[in-house]
């Protein structure tokens, strides 16, 4: 029977120059060389991708991008295409991170286009969804998640979504030190899985990995990962230090 291999992913955001990223990746590679039963991914800045890809060659750490454009090429100043990311060594691409939605105008429609472009190029999309604090407090958590899933995955068929990873990232927990409780995370993940069963099918929903993101750290990862629908973590701040991130990758102890 196929199972969901846990994925521990680090989003380095706009941190680390190429040289700093290389140092961190080398250190992480040493620290996680013996990690088993887990997949590890790091997403450095665009300018560090090729250098980090060279460091990670032959390791058990996959390379990811933090964003992509939906067109293959063209007059889109400042943008990067899926094909360029594949060529730089990427396996994954984060799509629709809440910081992109909040500061760079990403919408569920652009998320949908980016997922399509990623899949077409052979990149595995990590689709980020999650509610704001105000939405949670006004009881809209599930309707927000539902809209983000429905619109972000609109018009896809199962074949397109085989490599999809979903990251549930409550916006109020990102970079704030506030973590969702394990019960809140499980409730949201179970809801997301049910919605995915509805729009794709049960088999897909059973296999799709749903990561939790929002102030994950060594002190809380174990209890989050013990939840039946939590299949990994998308980690910002705690991924920057290789020692700390390696503790997350070794969450089983
Ligand atoms: C993130 O940026 O996806 C994230 C979860 O950040 P942090 O771990 O710092 O909350």
């Amino acid at each position: 029977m196929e199972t969901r291999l846990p994925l521990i992913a680090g989003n380095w955001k706009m941190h680390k120059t190429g040289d700093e990223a290389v140092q961190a990746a080398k250190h992480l590679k040493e620290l996680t060389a013996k990690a088993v039963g887990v997949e590890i991914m790091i997403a450095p800045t665009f300018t560090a991708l090729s250098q980090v890809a060279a460091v990670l060659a032959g390791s058990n750490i996959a390379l990811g991008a933090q964003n992509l454009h939906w067109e293959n090429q063209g007059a889109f100043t400042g943008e990067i295409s899926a094909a360029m990311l594949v060529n730089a060594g990427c396996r994954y691409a984060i799509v629709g991170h809440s910081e992109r939605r909040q500061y760079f105008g990403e919408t569920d429609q652009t998320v949908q286009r980016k997922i399509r472009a990623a899949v077409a190029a052979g990149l595995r999309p990590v689709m980020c969804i999650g509610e704001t604090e105000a939405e949670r407090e006004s009881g809209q958590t599930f309707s927000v998640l539902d809209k983000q899933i429905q619109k972000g995955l609109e018009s896809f068929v199962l074949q397109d979504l085989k490599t999809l990873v979903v990251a549930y990232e409550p916006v109020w927990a990102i970079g704030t030190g506030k973590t969702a409780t394990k019960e809140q995370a499980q409730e949201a993940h179970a809801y997301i899985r049910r919605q995915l069963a509805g729009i794709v099918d049960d088999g897909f929903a059973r296999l799709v990995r749903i990561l939790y993101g929002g102030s994950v750290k060594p002190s809380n990862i174990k209890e989050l990962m013990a939840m039946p629908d939590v299949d990994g973590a998308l980690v910002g701040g705690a991924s920057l230090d290789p020692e700390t991130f390696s503790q997350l990758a070794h969450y089983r102890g």
Side-chain angles (χ1 to χ4, degrees):
M1 195 183 102
E2 286 181 278
T3 51
R4 305 191 296 264
L5 181 65
L7 172 61
I8 306 296
N11 172 12
W12 286 356
K13 308 193 185 188
M14 199 172 72
H15 293 288
K16 300 188 192 296
T17 62
D19 291 344
E20 289 163 351
V22 163
Q23 287 315 313
K26 279 186 180 160
H27 194 184
L28 185 66
K29 183 173 153 178
E30 285 163 18
L31 293 169
T32 58
K34 296 203 173 84
V36 284
V38 64
E39 194 180 359
I40 304 166
M41 182 269 268
I42 51 174
T45 55
F46 286 143
T47 52
L49 287 175
S50 294
Q51 282 168 277
V52 172
V55 173
L56 299 184
S59 80
N60 55 0
I61 307 174
L63 189 66
Q66 299 175 18
N67 182 29
L68 75 158
H69 193 265
W70 55 81
E71 294 290 347
N72 279 335
Q73 58 179 23
F76 300 101
T77 302
E79 294 292 335
I80 307 251
S81 76
M84 292 166 188
L85 296 174
V86 170
N87 187 249
C90 288
R91 186 149 207 238
Y92 287 91
I94 298 171
V95 179
H97 189 279
S98 67
E99 288 153 14
R100 304 261 355 139
R101 294 179 189 253
Q102 191 180 346
Y103 305 128
F104 303 100
E106 291 211 5
T107 63
D108 295 325
Q109 280 72 28
T110 60
V111 166
Q112 194 258 8
R113 296 175 85 174
K114 289 179 180 201
I115 293 174
R116 190 168 292 289
V119 169
L123 277 175
R124 301 170 172 211
V126 180
M127 178 178 80
C128 300
I129 57 175
E131 80 288 357
T132 63
E133 190 154 37
E135 288 164 343
R136 176 164 279 267
E137 279 170 3
S138 58
Q140 295 176 72
T141 299
F142 297 123
S143 60
V144 168
L145 295 177
D146 186 46
K147 179 180 140 297
Q148 290 173 335
I149 295 168
Q150 299 287 349
K151 295 237 177 289
L153 300 182
E154 199 170 334
S155 77
F156 286 103
V157 294
L158 173 62
Q159 192 55 34
D160 302 324
L161 298 177
K162 287 220 153 112
T163 62
L164 179 80
V165 175
V166 177
Y168 169 59
E169 300 210 299
V171 179
W172 49 271
I174 297 181
T176 58
K178 290 189 204 170
T179 316
T181 63
K182 58 186 193 305
E183 292 82 9
Q184 286 171 324
Q186 170 57 27
E187 187 185 34
H189 283 226
Y191 176 80
I192 293 165
R193 204 177 296 287
R194 275 199 304 279
Q195 298 310 100
L196 291 170
I199 61 170
V200 188
D201 66 28
D202 283 342
F204 169 74
R206 258 199 309 279
L207 290 179
V208 67
R209 290 180 293 181
I210 307 175
L211 316 183
Y212 168 77
S215 300
V216 173
K217 37 191 183 286
S219 60
N220 59 26
I221 191 163
K222 209 169 174 157
E223 61 177 34
L224 289 161
M225 291 299 292
M227 294 291 109
D229 287 297
V230 177
D231 307 314
L234 180 55
V235 186
S239 71
L240 293 171
D241 171 42
E243 303 266 353
T244 310
F245 191 53
S246 147
Q247 287 178 41
L248 298 178
H250 291 99
Y251 67 92
R252 288 195 186 89

